PDB file of all heavy atoms in Angstrom:
ATOM      1  N   LEU C   1     106.859  85.103  77.493  1.00  0.00           N
ATOM      2  CA  LEU C   1     106.191  84.741  78.769  1.00  0.00           C
ATOM      3  C   LEU C   1     104.785  85.310  78.849  1.00  0.00           C
ATOM      4  O   LEU C   1     103.923  84.750  79.486  1.00  0.00           O
ATOM      5  CB  LEU C   1     107.073  85.221  79.944  1.00  0.00           C
ATOM      6  CG  LEU C   1     108.413  84.579  80.019  1.00  0.00           C
ATOM      7  CD1 LEU C   1     109.191  85.203  81.200  1.00  0.00           C
ATOM      8  CD2 LEU C   1     108.218  83.142  80.349  1.00  0.00           C
ATOM      9  N   GLY C   2     104.570  86.527  78.205  1.00  0.00           N
ATOM     10  CA  GLY C   2     103.211  87.090  78.283  1.00  0.00           C
ATOM     11  C   GLY C   2     102.217  86.298  77.457  1.00  0.00           C
ATOM     12  O   GLY C   2     101.200  85.872  77.857  1.00  0.00           O
ATOM     13  N   ASN C   3     102.646  86.009  76.176  1.00  0.00           N
ATOM     14  CA  ASN C   3     101.735  85.305  75.338  1.00  0.00           C
ATOM     15  C   ASN C   3     101.666  83.750  75.530  1.00  0.00           C
ATOM     16  O   ASN C   3     100.617  83.260  75.469  1.00  0.00           O
ATOM     17  CB  ASN C   3     102.137  85.534  73.844  1.00  0.00           C
ATOM     18  CG  ASN C   3     101.910  86.934  73.394  1.00  0.00           C
ATOM     19  OD1 ASN C   3     100.999  87.623  73.822  1.00  0.00           O
ATOM     20  ND2 ASN C   3     102.728  87.449  72.426  1.00  0.00           N
ATOM     21  N   ASP C   4     102.795  83.193  75.882  1.00  0.00           N
ATOM     22  CA  ASP C   4     102.865  81.779  76.020  1.00  0.00           C
ATOM     23  C   ASP C   4     102.375  81.289  77.437  1.00  0.00           C
ATOM     24  O   ASP C   4     101.812  80.168  77.591  1.00  0.00           O
ATOM     25  CB  ASP C   4     104.267  81.241  75.739  1.00  0.00           C
ATOM     26  CG  ASP C   4     104.692  81.411  74.313  1.00  0.00           C
ATOM     27  OD1 ASP C   4     103.895  81.672  73.503  1.00  0.00           O
ATOM     28  OD2 ASP C   4     105.952  81.364  74.096  1.00  0.00           O
ATOM     29  N   PHE C   5     102.702  82.061  78.497  1.00  0.00           N
ATOM     30  CA  PHE C   5     102.300  81.656  79.808  1.00  0.00           C
ATOM     31  C   PHE C   5     101.406  82.645  80.525  1.00  0.00           C
ATOM     32  O   PHE C   5     101.061  82.393  81.695  1.00  0.00           O
ATOM     33  CB  PHE C   5     103.601  81.447  80.606  1.00  0.00           C
ATOM     34  CG  PHE C   5     104.301  80.117  80.250  1.00  0.00           C
ATOM     35  CD1 PHE C   5     105.370  80.145  79.318  1.00  0.00           C
ATOM     36  CD2 PHE C   5     104.008  78.920  80.791  1.00  0.00           C
ATOM     37  CE1 PHE C   5     106.091  78.985  78.930  1.00  0.00           C
ATOM     38  CE2 PHE C   5     104.551  77.764  80.492  1.00  0.00           C
ATOM     39  CZ  PHE C   5     105.667  77.840  79.559  1.00  0.00           C
ATOM     40  N   GLY C   6     101.181  83.806  80.017  1.00  0.00           N
ATOM     41  CA  GLY C   6     100.300  84.727  80.675  1.00  0.00           C
ATOM     42  C   GLY C   6     100.873  85.280  81.971  1.00  0.00           C
ATOM     43  O   GLY C   6     100.178  85.539  82.943  1.00  0.00           O
ATOM     44  N   ILE C   7     102.258  85.415  82.062  1.00  0.00           N
ATOM     45  CA  ILE C   7     102.872  85.888  83.243  1.00  0.00           C
ATOM     46  C   ILE C   7     102.328  87.325  83.632  1.00  0.00           C
ATOM     47  O   ILE C   7     102.167  88.137  82.769  1.00  0.00           O
ATOM     48  CB  ILE C   7     104.450  85.878  83.094  1.00  0.00           C
ATOM     49  CG1 ILE C   7     105.097  85.963  84.455  1.00  0.00           C
ATOM     50  CG2 ILE C   7     104.829  86.963  82.144  1.00  0.00           C
ATOM     51  CD1 ILE C   7     106.587  85.710  84.355  1.00  0.00           C
ATOM     52  N   ASP C   8     102.127  87.491  84.966  1.00  0.00           N
ATOM     53  CA  ASP C   8     101.559  88.762  85.326  1.00  0.00           C
ATOM     54  C   ASP C   8     102.691  89.577  86.031  1.00  0.00           C
ATOM     55  O   ASP C   8     103.844  89.088  86.239  1.00  0.00           O
ATOM     56  CB  ASP C   8     100.400  88.588  86.355  1.00  0.00           C
ATOM     57  CG  ASP C   8     100.704  87.929  87.569  1.00  0.00           C
ATOM     58  OD1 ASP C   8     101.831  88.069  88.150  1.00  0.00           O
ATOM     59  OD2 ASP C   8      99.762  87.242  88.078  1.00  0.00           O
ATOM     60  N   SER C   9     102.527  90.761  86.437  1.00  0.00           N
ATOM     61  CA  SER C   9     103.501  91.663  86.956  1.00  0.00           C
ATOM     62  C   SER C   9     104.145  91.090  88.238  1.00  0.00           C
ATOM     63  O   SER C   9     105.340  91.280  88.513  1.00  0.00           O
ATOM     64  CB  SER C   9     103.051  93.118  87.126  1.00  0.00           C
ATOM     65  OG  SER C   9     101.935  93.128  88.023  1.00  0.00           O
ATOM     66  N   LEU C  10     103.337  90.624  89.105  1.00  0.00           N
ATOM     67  CA  LEU C  10     103.845  90.048  90.344  1.00  0.00           C
ATOM     68  C   LEU C  10     104.808  88.824  90.148  1.00  0.00           C
ATOM     69  O   LEU C  10     105.905  88.703  90.769  1.00  0.00           O
ATOM     70  CB  LEU C  10     102.633  89.569  91.326  1.00  0.00           C
ATOM     71  CG  LEU C  10     101.907  90.769  91.847  1.00  0.00           C
ATOM     72  CD1 LEU C  10     100.720  90.217  92.722  1.00  0.00           C
ATOM     73  CD2 LEU C  10     102.724  91.700  92.694  1.00  0.00           C
ATOM     74  N   GLU C  11     104.372  88.015  89.191  1.00  0.00           N
ATOM     75  CA  GLU C  11     105.224  86.791  88.838  1.00  0.00           C
ATOM     76  C   GLU C  11     106.558  87.331  88.204  1.00  0.00           C
ATOM     77  O   GLU C  11     107.636  86.817  88.513  1.00  0.00           O
ATOM     78  CB  GLU C  11     104.551  85.902  87.857  1.00  0.00           C
ATOM     79  CG  GLU C  11     103.358  85.181  88.573  1.00  0.00           C
ATOM     80  CD  GLU C  11     102.456  84.481  87.525  1.00  0.00           C
ATOM     81  OE1 GLU C  11     102.246  84.994  86.405  1.00  0.00           O
ATOM     82  OE2 GLU C  11     101.963  83.374  87.868  1.00  0.00           O
ATOM     83  N   LEU C  12     106.470  88.373  87.331  1.00  0.00           N
ATOM     84  CA  LEU C  12     107.648  88.926  86.789  1.00  0.00           C
ATOM     85  C   LEU C  12     108.580  89.566  87.830  1.00  0.00           C
ATOM     86  O   LEU C  12     109.859  89.358  87.739  1.00  0.00           O
ATOM     87  CB  LEU C  12     107.255  90.006  85.697  1.00  0.00           C
ATOM     88  CG  LEU C  12     108.344  90.439  84.761  1.00  0.00           C
ATOM     89  CD1 LEU C  12     108.913  89.275  84.035  1.00  0.00           C
ATOM     90  CD2 LEU C  12     107.800  91.475  83.838  1.00  0.00           C
ATOM     91  N   MET C  13     107.990  90.212  88.805  1.00  0.00           N
ATOM     92  CA  MET C  13     108.792  90.733  89.889  1.00  0.00           C
ATOM     93  C   MET C  13     109.519  89.649  90.665  1.00  0.00           C
ATOM     94  O   MET C  13     110.646  89.804  91.114  1.00  0.00           O
ATOM     95  CB  MET C  13     107.929  91.583  90.863  1.00  0.00           C
ATOM     96  CG  MET C  13     107.565  92.981  90.161  1.00  0.00           C
ATOM     97  SD  MET C  13     106.387  93.961  91.115  1.00  0.00           S
ATOM     98  CE  MET C  13     107.204  94.038  92.757  1.00  0.00           C
ATOM     99  N   ASP C  14     108.807  88.518  90.874  1.00  0.00           N
ATOM    100  CA  ASP C  14     109.390  87.384  91.517  1.00  0.00           C
ATOM    101  C   ASP C  14     110.550  86.794  90.729  1.00  0.00           C
ATOM    102  O   ASP C  14     111.606  86.529  91.336  1.00  0.00           O
ATOM    103  CB  ASP C  14     108.352  86.289  91.742  1.00  0.00           C
ATOM    104  CG  ASP C  14     108.702  85.135  92.764  1.00  0.00           C
ATOM    105  OD1 ASP C  14     109.884  85.209  93.248  1.00  0.00           O
ATOM    106  OD2 ASP C  14     107.920  84.283  92.987  1.00  0.00           O
ATOM    107  N   VAL C  15     110.342  86.660  89.437  1.00  0.00           N
ATOM    108  CA  VAL C  15     111.465  86.226  88.589  1.00  0.00           C
ATOM    109  C   VAL C  15     112.644  87.195  88.745  1.00  0.00           C
ATOM    110  O   VAL C  15     113.789  86.700  88.904  1.00  0.00           O
ATOM    111  CB  VAL C  15     110.972  86.071  87.170  1.00  0.00           C
ATOM    112  CG1 VAL C  15     112.218  85.842  86.193  1.00  0.00           C
ATOM    113  CG2 VAL C  15     109.974  85.001  86.988  1.00  0.00           C
ATOM    114  N   GLY C  16     112.394  88.450  88.651  1.00  0.00           N
ATOM    115  CA  GLY C  16     113.472  89.477  88.814  1.00  0.00           C
ATOM    116  C   GLY C  16     114.242  89.332  90.084  1.00  0.00           C
ATOM    117  O   GLY C  16     115.444  89.455  90.167  1.00  0.00           O
ATOM    118  N   ALA C  17     113.498  89.129  91.157  1.00  0.00           N
ATOM    119  CA  ALA C  17     114.085  89.092  92.499  1.00  0.00           C
ATOM    120  C   ALA C  17     115.043  87.825  92.593  1.00  0.00           C
ATOM    121  O   ALA C  17     116.041  87.878  93.144  1.00  0.00           O
ATOM    122  CB  ALA C  17     113.035  89.044  93.582  1.00  0.00           C
ATOM    123  N   ARG C  18     114.458  86.776  92.058  1.00  0.00           N
ATOM    124  CA  ARG C  18     115.242  85.549  92.066  1.00  0.00           C
ATOM    125  C   ARG C  18     116.544  85.671  91.256  1.00  0.00           C
ATOM    126  O   ARG C  18     117.671  85.259  91.597  1.00  0.00           O
ATOM    127  CB  ARG C  18     114.491  84.323  91.543  1.00  0.00           C
ATOM    128  CG  ARG C  18     113.359  83.906  92.404  1.00  0.00           C
ATOM    129  CD  ARG C  18     112.403  82.951  91.685  1.00  0.00           C
ATOM    130  NE  ARG C  18     111.242  82.653  92.442  1.00  0.00           N
ATOM    131  CZ  ARG C  18     111.006  81.490  93.141  1.00  0.00           C
ATOM    132  NH1 ARG C  18     111.912  80.532  93.107  1.00  0.00           N
ATOM    133  NH2 ARG C  18     109.913  81.303  93.854  1.00  0.00           N
ATOM    134  N   LEU C  19     116.420  86.279  90.090  1.00  0.00           N
ATOM    135  CA  LEU C  19     117.685  86.559  89.284  1.00  0.00           C
ATOM    136  C   LEU C  19     118.630  87.491  89.943  1.00  0.00           C
ATOM    137  O   LEU C  19     119.801  87.285  89.942  1.00  0.00           O
ATOM    138  CB  LEU C  19     117.230  87.082  87.883  1.00  0.00           C
ATOM    139  CG  LEU C  19     116.448  86.129  86.978  1.00  0.00           C
ATOM    140  CD1 LEU C  19     115.956  86.818  85.807  1.00  0.00           C
ATOM    141  CD2 LEU C  19     117.374  84.841  86.654  1.00  0.00           C
ATOM    142  N   GLU C  20     118.110  88.571  90.627  1.00  0.00           N
ATOM    143  CA  GLU C  20     118.955  89.450  91.345  1.00  0.00           C
ATOM    144  C   GLU C  20     119.734  88.683  92.437  1.00  0.00           C
ATOM    145  O   GLU C  20     120.966  88.924  92.665  1.00  0.00           O
ATOM    146  CB  GLU C  20     118.182  90.532  91.968  1.00  0.00           C
ATOM    147  CG  GLU C  20     117.788  91.606  91.036  1.00  0.00           C
ATOM    148  CD  GLU C  20     116.990  92.731  91.627  1.00  0.00           C
ATOM    149  OE1 GLU C  20     116.422  92.576  92.795  1.00  0.00           O
ATOM    150  OE2 GLU C  20     116.962  93.845  91.013  1.00  0.00           O
ATOM    151  N   ASN C  21     119.050  87.758  93.147  1.00  0.00           N
ATOM    152  CA  ASN C  21     119.702  87.054  94.247  1.00  0.00           C
ATOM    153  C   ASN C  21     120.786  86.066  93.717  1.00  0.00           C
ATOM    154  O   ASN C  21     121.845  85.986  94.291  1.00  0.00           O
ATOM    155  CB  ASN C  21     118.666  86.284  95.037  1.00  0.00           C
ATOM    156  CG  ASN C  21     117.873  87.191  95.912  1.00  0.00           C
ATOM    157  OD1 ASN C  21     118.293  88.304  96.342  1.00  0.00           O
ATOM    158  ND2 ASN C  21     116.678  86.748  96.204  1.00  0.00           N
ATOM    159  N   VAL C  22     120.485  85.410  92.608  1.00  0.00           N
ATOM    160  CA  VAL C  22     121.415  84.365  92.088  1.00  0.00           C
ATOM    161  C   VAL C  22     122.549  85.047  91.395  1.00  0.00           C
ATOM    162  O   VAL C  22     123.648  84.645  91.577  1.00  0.00           O
ATOM    163  CB  VAL C  22     120.662  83.461  91.082  1.00  0.00           C
ATOM    164  CG1 VAL C  22     121.646  82.546  90.301  1.00  0.00           C
ATOM    165  CG2 VAL C  22     119.673  82.563  91.846  1.00  0.00           C
ATOM    166  N   LEU C  23     122.284  86.097  90.641  1.00  0.00           N
ATOM    167  CA  LEU C  23     123.345  86.721  89.784  1.00  0.00           C
ATOM    168  C   LEU C  23     123.991  87.958  90.547  1.00  0.00           C
ATOM    169  O   LEU C  23     125.025  88.413  89.985  1.00  0.00           O
ATOM    170  CB  LEU C  23     122.776  87.143  88.477  1.00  0.00           C
ATOM    171  CG  LEU C  23     122.131  86.046  87.598  1.00  0.00           C
ATOM    172  CD1 LEU C  23     121.436  86.664  86.381  1.00  0.00           C
ATOM    173  CD2 LEU C  23     123.247  85.127  87.139  1.00  0.00           C
ATOM    174  N   ARG C  24     123.440  88.408  91.613  1.00  0.00           N
ATOM    175  CA  ARG C  24     124.013  89.487  92.337  1.00  0.00           C
ATOM    176  C   ARG C  24     124.126  90.782  91.423  1.00  0.00           C
ATOM    177  O   ARG C  24     125.181  91.342  91.385  1.00  0.00           O
ATOM    178  CB  ARG C  24     125.333  89.162  92.954  1.00  0.00           C
ATOM    179  CG  ARG C  24     125.267  87.984  93.948  1.00  0.00           C
ATOM    180  CD  ARG C  24     126.530  87.803  94.663  1.00  0.00           C
ATOM    181  NE  ARG C  24     126.589  86.582  95.467  1.00  0.00           N
ATOM    182  CZ  ARG C  24     125.957  86.330  96.608  1.00  0.00           C
ATOM    183  NH1 ARG C  24     125.229  87.265  97.178  1.00  0.00           N
ATOM    184  NH2 ARG C  24     126.125  85.255  97.253  1.00  0.00           N
ATOM    185  N   VAL C  25     123.031  91.029  90.740  1.00  0.00           N
ATOM    186  CA  VAL C  25     122.994  92.183  89.923  1.00  0.00           C
ATOM    187  C   VAL C  25     121.631  92.834  90.017  1.00  0.00           C
ATOM    188  O   VAL C  25     120.620  92.212  90.314  1.00  0.00           O
ATOM    189  CB  VAL C  25     123.276  91.757  88.360  1.00  0.00           C
ATOM    190  CG1 VAL C  25     122.143  90.826  87.841  1.00  0.00           C
ATOM    191  CG2 VAL C  25     123.394  92.953  87.553  1.00  0.00           C
ATOM    192  N   LYS C  26     121.593  94.147  89.944  1.00  0.00           N
ATOM    193  CA  LYS C  26     120.323  94.930  90.016  1.00  0.00           C
ATOM    194  C   LYS C  26     119.649  94.876  88.674  1.00  0.00           C
ATOM    195  O   LYS C  26     120.224  95.189  87.673  1.00  0.00           O
ATOM    196  CB  LYS C  26     120.660  96.337  90.521  1.00  0.00           C
ATOM    197  CG  LYS C  26     119.392  97.220  90.653  1.00  0.00           C
ATOM    198  CD  LYS C  26     118.654  96.741  91.882  1.00  0.00           C
ATOM    199  CE  LYS C  26     117.422  97.636  92.115  1.00  0.00           C
ATOM    200  NZ  LYS C  26     116.256  96.871  92.733  1.00  0.00           N
TER     201      LYS C  26
END
């Protein structure tokens, strides 16, 4: 994601929050 899409820390935090909500895991 860093090299191919240049994901930044805020986007990564958004991905993490979405995964936490869907998977119900911290």
Side-chain angles (χ1 to χ4, degrees):
L1 296 175
N3 290 333
D4 297 341
F5 286 96
I7 195 168
D8 65 32
S9 59
L10 290 176
E11 291 168 325
L12 193 58
M13 288 173 54
D14 191 359
V15 169
R18 289 169 188 254
L19 293 172
E20 284 181 338
N21 286 334
V22 169
L23 299 171
R24 301 187 189 284
V25 64
K26 182 70 178 150

